[in-house]
């Protein structure tokens, strides 16, 4: 591939004797990875289900390399949300963040959602996960993945970091800032990154990154952990950003990231004495992945969060309709805490923050909508369930013609009794159908359907 000459010259100066090995990677195939969604099944269960032996990605506990000829994005298991397809090095930042069940965690630059899904799996449905994306076009992919992977404890926002910081001061235990960057590390994966390199220049990115980190600092609790990451090589967007942040925030310290499996130490920055070797660099000529950078910042002290009074919006008539649906069609109890947003009913956590006035696209687990006295289940409801939690299910194997037709949005036929039912592959739902008179009305989301 053709690389920008200015980029090549700078990398030669940066890498010295390693430059030829680095340059050689652009003539070699890239690596492909997927991460098992442990909200739905364990790694061992997925390995048994797939019937294949995968090579593990060494810097994450649930990621694997795959052969692109396998084309996992076409398999029904992808549509069941059993795994997320993700570049291998990109799995490292969320793993380094180390989110725990019950914590309050922010993914500040979250689209398209791979790192959010990884954080959600680590949290095991417990605690509060805020996934924010400032771009209105990119946030749609984030919202889809939250639904597809059955995440029930997330708040999806489409806000600026500044507005979030004005509401959530000192709120989060952990924050991931996978910052917008010049994208140099993705040039082998995506030739568009090479073509747009001059547009998303480092100087422009540094200004954005610096401001995002300032807002993240406001939102992090004392004792909290902040992970900053990029997919670029330039020190100005990586170690230098960290040094300047530490220079202006003496209540933070760098935490050493374990170096293994080809992960390298960060480089030193002239004029600063901070231990930037504690940072981590993912060089494509040293490991099986693309270029990435990560740093861990620990906050020692600062402001304390004051929890405002949270007022939940409740409509008893709408809740009764939803609860009746659960009783009639599901094998699980209706959630204890629900909230109404417009016509939508959501299962929410009691410790969700007050987000009134913010651009919120999803709060918790969307159960469905109530319109003119009728409850209609949401796709996110069925994606947060397993087959044995649904009373009426229709099972297809991965190679069945009917399953392909369902994913294309076609109408199917069944001898089932009239009911809301879930189409499943194995014990994993794919979506709803409404059976009436032997005909199954297809409720698979229009925007998700396969092309004919």
């Amino acid at each position: 591939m053709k690389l920008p000459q200015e980029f090549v010259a700078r990398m030669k100066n940066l890498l010295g004797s390693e430059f030829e090995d680095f340059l050689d990677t652009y003539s070699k195939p890239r690596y492909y990875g997927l991460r098992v969604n442990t909200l739905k099944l364990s790694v061992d269960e997925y390995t048994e289900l797939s019937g294949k032996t995968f090579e593990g990605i060494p810097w994450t506990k649930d990621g694997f390399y795959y052969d692109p000829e396998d084309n996992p994005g076409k398999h029904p298991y992808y549509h069941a949300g059993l795994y997320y397809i993700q570049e291998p090095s990109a799995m490292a930042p969320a793993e380094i963040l180390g989110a725990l069940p019950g914590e309050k965690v922010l993914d500040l630059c979250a689209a398209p959602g791979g790192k959010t899904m990884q954080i959600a799996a680590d949290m095991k449905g417990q605690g509060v996960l805020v996934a924010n994306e400032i771009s209105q076009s990119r946030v749609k992919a984030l919202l889809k993945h939250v639904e597809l992977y059955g995440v029930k404890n997330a708040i999806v926002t489409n806000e600026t970091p500044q507005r979030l910081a004005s509401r959530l001061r000192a709120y989060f235990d952990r924050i991931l800032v996978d910052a917008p960057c010049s994208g140099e590390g993705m040039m082998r994966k995506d030739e568009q990154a090479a073509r747009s390199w001059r547009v998303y220049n480092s100087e422009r990115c540094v200004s954005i990154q610096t401001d995002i980190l300032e807002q993240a600092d406001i939102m992090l609790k004392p004792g909290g952990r902040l992970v900053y990451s990029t997919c670029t090589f330039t020190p100005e967007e990586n170690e230098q950003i960290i040094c300047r942040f530490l220079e202006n925030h003496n209540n933070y310290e760098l935490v050493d990231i374990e170096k293994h499996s080809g992960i390298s130490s960060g480089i030193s920055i002239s004029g600063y004495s901070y231990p930037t070797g504690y940072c981590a660099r993912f060089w494509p000529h040293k490991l099986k992945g693309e270029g990435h950078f990560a740093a861990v910042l620990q906050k020692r002290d600062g402001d304390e969060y004051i929890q405002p009074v949270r007022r939940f919006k409740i409509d008893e008539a709408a809740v009764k309709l939803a609860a009746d649906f659960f009783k009639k069609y599901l094998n699980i109890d209706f959630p204890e805490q629900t909230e109404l947003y417009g016509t939508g009913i959501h299962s929410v956590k009691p410790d969700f923050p007050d987000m009134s006035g913010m651009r919120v696209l999803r709060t918790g687990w969307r159960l469905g909508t109530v319109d003119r006295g009728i409850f209609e289940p949401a796709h996110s409801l069925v994606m947060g369930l397993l087959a044995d939690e649904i009373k009426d299910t229709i099972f297809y194997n991965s190679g069945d013609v009917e399953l392909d037709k369902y994913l294309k949005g076609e109408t199917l036929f069944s001898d089932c009794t009239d009911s809301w039912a879930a189409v499943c592959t194995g014990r994993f739902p794919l979506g709803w159908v409404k059976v009436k008179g032997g005909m199954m009305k297809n409720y698979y989301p229009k925007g998700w359907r396969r092309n004919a």
Side-chain angles (χ1 to χ4, degrees), residues 280-316:
R281 277 187 172 261
F282 293 71
W283 294 105
H285 61 290
K286 292 187 174 184
L287 44 71
K288 295 180 179 180
E290 304 307 310
H292 234 84
F293 170 87
V296 177
L297 292 160
Q298 190 79 26
K299 189 173 188 177
R300 289 191 295 269
D301 52 48
D303 294 337
E304 297 288 344
Y305 177 69
I306 300 175
Q307 177 77 50
V309 176
R310 178 80 156 85
R311 294 180 174 86
F312 292 96
K313 306 169 190 173
I314 299 173
D315 183 316
E316 291 183 3

Side-chain angles (χ1 to χ4, degrees), residues 11 33 58 61 101 138 149 203 250 281 296 341 393 407 413:
M11 294 307 298
K61 57 187 174 296
R138 283 169 54 82
Y149 293 96
E203 184 177 342
N250 58 14
R281 277 187 172 261
V296 177
Y341 290 87
T393 48
L407 293 174
F413 297 92

Side-chain angles (χ1 to χ4, degrees), residues 245-367:
F245 180 83
L246 290 169
E247 188 176 41
N248 294 318
H249 301 83
N250 58 14
N251 58 334
Y252 280 83
E253 60 185 5
L254 269 174
V255 176
D256 195 6
I257 298 172
E258 182 184 0
K259 313 302 187 299
H260 61 88
S261 309
I263 301 172
S264 302
S265 299
I267 63 177
S268 60
I269 299 296
S270 177
Y272 294 96
S273 59
Y274 302 110
T276 49
Y278 287 3
C279 303
R281 277 187 172 261
F282 293 71
W283 294 105
H285 61 290
K286 292 187 174 184
L287 44 71
K288 295 180 179 180
E290 304 307 310
H292 234 84
F293 170 87
V296 177
L297 292 160
Q298 190 79 26
K299 189 173 188 177
R300 289 191 295 269
D301 52 48
D303 294 337
E304 297 288 344
Y305 177 69
I306 300 175
Q307 177 77 50
V309 176
R310 178 80 156 85
R311 294 180 174 86
F312 292 96
K313 306 169 190 173
I314 299 173
D315 183 316
E316 291 183 3
V319 169
K320 183 180 185 305
L321 290 170
D324 288 345
F325 180 94
F326 268 64
K327 186 176 182 179
K328 186 174 182 180
Y329 297 111
L330 303 182
N331 296 321
I332 62 171
D333 293 332
F334 189 69
E336 291 183 8
Q337 183 74 63
T338 59
E339 189 164 15
L340 191 69
Y341 290 87
T343 61
I345 297 178
H346 298 243
S347 169
V348 297
K349 303 293 183 181
D351 54 350
F352 272 7
D354 180 8
M355 300 295 286
S356 57
M358 299 282 107
R359 288 192 292 271
V360 178
L361 304 186
R362 181 60 39 84
T363 298
W365 187 20
R366 184 177 175 87
L367 306 179

Side-chain angles (χ1 to χ4, degrees), residues 5-197:
Q5 287 304 305
E6 185 181 343
F7 167 74
V8 172
R10 188 164 53 73
M11 294 307 298
K12 185 175 184 178
N13 182 61
L14 182 64
L15 287 169
S17 61
E18 295 182 22
F19 173 71
E20 292 301 328
D21 291 337
F22 169 79
L23 193 63
D24 189 46
T25 63
Y26 290 91
S27 63
K28 296 178 179 179
R30 53 167 289 211
Y31 294 94
Y32 295 80
L34 61 82
R35 191 193 60 77
V36 177
N37 179 15
T38 54
L39 287 174
K40 296 198 176 190
L41 77 171
S42 70
V43 169
D44 289 343
E45 286 173 325
Y46 175 73
T47 302
E48 182 179 352
L49 190 65
S50 65
K52 294 186 177 183
T53 301
F54 297 94
E55 178 187 355
I57 296 172
W59 44 84
T60 183
K61 57 187 174 296
D62 45 22
F64 298 90
Y65 296 101
Y66 71 87
D67 188 327
E69 293 180 359
D70 292 338
N71 206 357
K74 296 293 185 180
H75 198 283
Y77 291 157
Y78 172 80
H79 298 274
L82 302 195
Y83 49 78
Y84 186 94
I85 297 171
Q86 188 174 24
E87 193 283 311
S89 294
M91 299 181 190
E95 188 78 25
I96 292 168
L97 185 70
L100 296 172
E103 291 186 325
K104 296 177 175 65
V105 183
L106 169 65
D107 187 356
L108 187 50
C109 312
K115 297 175 179 66
T116 301
M117 300 309 103
Q118 197 171 352
I119 293 167
D122 287 340
M123 296 177 72
K124 304 182 189 303
Q126 302 171 41
V128 181
L129 171 57
V130 176
N132 180 70
E133 174 56 47
I134 192 172
S135 166
Q136 291 187 8
S137 59
R138 283 169 54 82
V139 78
K140 295 176 183 177
L142 171 63
L143 186 59
K144 175 184 176 179
H145 289 131
V146 166
E147 292 191 357
L148 177 60
Y149 293 96
V151 180
K152 302 176 183 178
N153 63 323
I155 300 171
V156 179
T157 57
N158 175 214
E159 273 297 354
T160 65
Q162 291 86 349
R163 277 177 53 82
L164 282 180
S166 70
R167 177 63 58 85
L168 299 170
R169 189 179 191 93
Y171 179 77
F172 294 101
D173 299 289
R174 298 178 197 254
I175 297 177
L176 175 62
V177 175
D178 188 47
C181 67
S182 52
E184 296 171 347
M186 295 295 110
M187 286 183 181
R188 180 171 65 160
K189 173 188 171 186
D190 181 9
E191 291 192 20
Q192 178 60 34
R195 291 192 290 269
S196 62
W197 179 71

